[in-house]
Amino acid sequence: MLYWIRQSFQTKFKRLKQAVRLTKSRAQHSALRSKSKFARTSQRFHATSKSTICSAEAVIIPSLPGVSQTRLPDPPFPHLLVCNQVPTDAEAELILDAIAQAQEEAARLTATFSQRRNAKSQSKDDHDHCSRTSRAWRLVTTHKIDQANIFIRQHQGILSAIRQLPAEILQEIFLHVAHFHLNHHDLQWRYNSTEHPSWALSQACGTWRTIALNMPSLWNRLPTIRLKRFCATTNLQVEYLCELLRRSSGTLLDLCIDATHFYPGQAAKRHHHATVDLLCQHAERWETAAIKLGVCVPGGLRSIKGRLTTLKSLTLSASRPSWFSPDSIDFFEDAPQLTSVHIATPFSRETPLPFAQLKHYTERFDDDEFQITRAMRSPVLETLTMIALNNELVFPTLTLPCLVQLHVEIPHQLYLNDADVGCFDYLTLPSIQDIRIISRIENMAPTLQRMLKNSSPCLALKRLALRFKFIEPGQLTDLLKLTPALIHLSATLPLGSDIDIHNLAGASLSEHAHRPLVPLLETCEFYNGDDITANVSTALNKLASSRCEPQPDNISTLNSNPLLSNETHRLRSLSIYFSEPVSFWLQPQHRRFEDWFLATTSFDLEILRDALVARLPDLLDYRYHEQSGIRCLIEHDEVRRILAKIDAVRVDHARDIYVSGVHYALKSIAKCQCPGTKNGALARKILDKWAPITDDPDALKHRHWARQGNRSLVYIPNDSSEKSYLRTESPIDIVLGVRDERPPMFSFESI
């Protein structure tokens, strides 16, 4: 009996505790909600009060005594202030006179204001009264000066040269603005952009509107059209497009349709959409079309089959993975002028296209069926770009006589039945000028070499870019022997062997000089994912000194053929790129290139730099421009203590600063991490203290390698303008680099 009574009391006590806890939680939640509501109300109140005060000042100040005494002339031609008409010569003279009077009044008021402000204060007895009077006078005078300056700016705008531009010049400007906005290379950006810049141009003034409305080519590039099921949205969209189609008045159209979120109802007959039906009525005017499909193909698109007489460029993509395929897409096969096709998302079903006439083809294909081989059989194909997700990729025996550009990316490992067969073994490209191949898993140098042998002699090839996981020693030499006219090279650095670098430099391992490979080479970029050995570093310095520095003996006769003469062009750029950002490999490699070594002072500075990086990891990223690296006041104090220790280190040689890399961290703190703080000021103080040492020309005389971004090094010749800049300015100013860390050679378009 006592047990049950005890259990009953315990249960009731627990329920009471839960009720109390629930009541407290609700009370706290209610308090927080009230506090938040009060804060929002207070914020709205302050904003309303501020606008009310500004409005009151705008009404009250002009009515104060003395304000009406401003000596500003009346606007000579008020109608010119609200239009862009060009004033006549007589009107311009009167406007200039009014501007001169307003400038004199502004100068008089400014001088009076300065004299009154610098005058001696009144006696102590009437100090309060004079202060109130002085504040009122300053408020009124400031208002007068502002009104005079507004008058001057408004009337100077009437005389602006832009009003005198001929309509033809304005038309060119309008076309440049509109086409730059809509002709973006990033396909995803195009799908996300729904604005049309021509609307803003046509609403600036009456003159601009007249010019814009008389330019049909300003309205023929339609913004992205997103299909929706809602009738209200569709009606507005149709009305909007009708106006654009009317203004474009028969010119060829550039359109972009996004049907990703178009889910037609069951009652919709064959998935028709009013917007698509409207656009398909003008299918004969389509010149460029980008279409992104969803779960189905809008039924209206089927009506364009056989009517695309002016279509030249087509982009197709889907919002689903590769196994998904919408309804059959067979309405682009009969486009007589279609020469450029971009398949941005793989389709498992075949998409009939006029392959025999294609000049530019881009496709991303996977393990399912792909139709790029059909495009490669085009006798007029000029550019070919592909991302191959297929694990068994071998192209048939083909000769592409007109192909000048080949871009390939293979992100996965290839599984071929024959280990001796590569995917490009049977291709022949007699006119190729640009080859870019990325394979993050494979070494595709052997199959690339076979393709170049099939195409030999490759005298037209000017640009070769290849980034593989690795490349064997000697393979780069074998490739370059087949490309004697190469101008731009971007390649994976052969690790562990310097034979390829020596061959590029023109000196073999036996020190017997010979003619260097690719004598016309102007830019050279190497990619490295690991540490560079000492012998490769020495070879790179040899390459830099032999081909980047001026060679007085390298003089050729005019109009001679460089391939037949002994001329070797000078390298304009030599860069080394690392797979990881600043930190692990870049600084040690920089030391190795410059033949720097760690001494006692540089070792101490490096330890302190590592301590700074431990507190502020974002110091390693030169693009970091926010002040969120320090999370608490304790870290502020820790950083300050480390900076004080750096300041206490005695530095006598600039090499100790360069070897440790501490100046990069200090400049990042001063400019990016802690600007305007005590830590930032202390970092700037240390840099200024070291400036006499680093500004010494002798400290820069033997420097040749500089950081380029946060993951690359670039060679600077002795006669370079950048070298002379380093000799006259602090090398700390090259800290974070001004060049792009990712070379344009490997910038694939979005596909």
Side-chain angles (χ1 to χ4, degrees), residues 173 181 309 358 380 405 477 547 594 625 675 681 702 740-741:
I173 295 174
H181 182 82
T309 55
L358 295 184
V380 294
Q405 178 178 295
T477 298
R547 300 202 58 174
E594 301 286 9
H625 295 294
H702 302 291
D740 184 7
E741 63 178 287

Side-chain angles (χ1 to χ4, degrees), residues 214-484:
N214 288 299
M215 293 178 61
S217 57
L218 193 64
W219 306 95
N220 63 346
R221 298 177 182 266
L222 307 182
T224 302
I225 303 158
R226 293 200 180 98
L227 304 184
K228 303 288 185 181
R229 286 184 56 188
F230 305 106
C231 294
T233 304
T234 301
N235 293 336
L236 290 175
Q237 201 173 58
V238 169
E239 185 177 356
Y240 172 68
L241 289 175
C242 284
E243 180 62 22
L244 287 177
L245 292 171
R246 184 188 66 81
R247 294 186 181 188
S248 61
S249 126
T251 56
L252 299 181
L253 299 177
D254 178 356
L255 55 89
C256 180
I257 301 174
D258 185 0
T260 304
H261 303 289
F262 174 55
Y263 303 99
Q266 296 180 355
K269 185 178 180 180
R270 292 191 59 81
H271 313 324
H272 278 268
H273 192 280
T275 303
V276 175
D277 294 341
L278 173 63
L279 293 174
C280 291
Q281 293 176 13
H282 302 267
E284 292 79 7
R285 295 172 54 190
W286 290 15
E287 182 181 33
T288 303
I291 303 175
K292 188 173 184 179
L293 300 173
V295 296
C296 65
V297 176
L301 286 176
R302 305 189 183 282
S303 65
I304 66 176
K305 187 173 183 179
R307 299 169 52 207
L308 300 173
T309 55
T310 59
L311 185 65
K312 297 179 181 179
S313 177
L314 172 67
T315 299
L316 284 177
S317 62
S319 60
R320 297 285 178 172
S322 58
W323 54 264
F324 168 79
S325 177
D327 302 334
S328 177
I329 305 172
D330 58 354
F331 30 83
F332 297 106
E333 188 175 12
D334 301 326
Q337 297 190 44
L338 182 60
T339 58
S340 178
V341 173
H342 184 168
I343 306 296
T345 304
F347 294 91
S348 59
R349 292 189 182 184
E350 181 180 351
T351 304
L353 295 168
F355 292 105
Q357 65 191 40
L358 295 184
K359 294 183 178 181
H360 312 281
Y361 189 79
T362 301
E363 183 180 352
R364 171 182 174 142
F365 53 89
D366 60 2
D367 295 331
D368 298 325
E369 296 181 3
F370 57 92
Q371 53 190 18
I372 194 168
T373 53
R374 298 186 60 189
M376 294 172 67
R377 297 183 187 278
S378 169
V380 294
L381 190 65
E382 297 178 2
T383 65
L384 180 64
T385 303
M386 57 180 132
I387 292 183
L389 305 178
N390 195 310
N391 293 332
E392 298 180 0
L393 176 64
V394 177
F395 291 106
T397 302
L398 284 175
T399 298
L400 286 71
C402 299
L403 193 72
V404 297
Q405 178 178 295
L406 174 65
H407 295 178
V408 181
E409 181 175 358
I410 304 177
H412 305 303
Q413 185 173 2
L414 298 177
Y415 300 99
L416 304 178
N417 296 328
D418 188 350
D420 296 330
V421 175
C423 59
F424 302 122
D425 286 4
Y426 306 118
L427 293 181
T428 302
L429 313 176
S431 304
I432 193 67
Q433 300 178 13
D434 183 356
I435 296 178
R436 313 182 193 187
I437 300 178
I438 299 178
S439 178
R440 308 185 187 279
I441 307 296
E442 300 282 337
N443 174 20
M444 303 191 68
T447 182
L448 177 60
Q449 182 182 354
R450 297 185 192 107
M451 182 178 69
L452 293 177
K453 280 185 177 180
N454 297 337
S455 311
S456 182
C458 301
L459 299 180
L461 186 62
K462 307 299 182 185
R463 184 183 296 267
L464 177 62
L466 47 97
R467 188 189 300 182
F468 305 147
K469 183 179 181 181
F470 65 94
I471 187 170
E472 297 292 343
Q475 289 182 339
L476 183 60
T477 298
D478 295 337
L479 291 174
L480 297 181
K481 286 180 180 179
L482 299 171
T483 60

Side-chain angles (χ1 to χ4, degrees), residues 738-750:
V738 294
R739 303 186 185 183
D740 184 7
E741 63 178 287
R742 184 185 185 188
M745 194 167 291
F746 266 114
S747 56
F748 274 89
E749 294 183 3
S750 176

Side-chain angles (χ1 to χ4, degrees), residues 3-52:
Y3 172 78
W4 294 112
I5 294 175
R6 189 181 303 112
Q7 285 292 106
S8 177
F9 274 107
Q10 288 179 355
T11 303
K12 291 181 179 180
F13 183 70
K14 288 181 180 179
R15 290 177 180 176
L16 180 61
K17 287 177 64 177
Q18 292 177 356
V20 171
R21 190 181 300 112
L22 181 61
T23 303
K24 286 184 177 181
S25 176
R26 289 178 177 175
Q28 291 176 356
H29 180 70
S30 178
L32 290 175
R33 186 170 55 186
S34 301
K35 185 177 180 181
S36 176
K37 186 176 181 180
F38 176 76
R40 291 195 299 269
T41 305
S42 177
Q43 188 176 5
R44 288 196 297 268
F45 174 76
H46 286 301
T48 305
S49 301
K50 186 175 181 180
S51 64
T52 304

